Amino acid sequence: ANVDEVETEVVEIEAKLDKLVKLCSGMIEAGKAYISANKLFVNGIRDLSQQCKKDEMISECLEKCGESLQEIINYHM
């Protein structure tokens, strides 16, 4: 009976480890998508900043916002 119990525990642990590996893979993929979306967003902010060059205050605010978001992206990477 002891061997059966240990075997059952090993099977349960193996199943939980498999599930954890799949969850980890999902987190990695979600993180890559998040970083990619953030990069696109920062590029959009920079484009808008360039478009608004005539309004110095708006352009400067957008540029600072883009720089701050870029720092966050760099930190996540």
Side-chain angles (χ1 to χ4, degrees), residues 31-32 34-35 38 69-77:
K32 288 178 182 178
Y34 174 78
I35 289 172
N38 269 335
L69 289 172
Q70 185 62 52
E71 284 186 38
I72 293 170
I73 291 169
N74 292 344
Y75 174 76
H76 284 150
M77 292 177 72

Side-chain angles (χ1 to χ4, degrees), residues 7 9 16 22 25-27 29 32 34 37 40 43 54-55 60-62 70 72-73:
E7 188 174 313
E9 283 183 33
K16 290 183 189 239
K22 288 177 185 173
S25 295
M27 283 181 54
E29 290 305 312
K32 288 178 182 178
Y34 174 78
L40 291 172
N43 288 339
K54 292 177 184 173
D55 190 329
E60 187 177 317
C61 287
L62 288 169
Q70 185 62 52
I72 293 170
I73 291 169

Side-chain angles (χ1 to χ4, degrees), residues 41-53 55-71:
F41 185 69
V42 168
N43 288 339
I45 289 174
R46 287 184 176 150
D47 286 345
L48 184 59
S49 172
Q50 291 301 313
Q51 187 68 34
C52 296
K53 279 291 184 192
D55 190 329
E56 191 176 316
M57 186 180 83
I58 290 176
S59 179
E60 187 177 317
C61 287
L62 288 169
E63 197 62 39
K64 285 182 181 180
C65 180
E67 289 171 6
S68 297
L69 289 172
Q70 185 62 52
E71 284 186 38

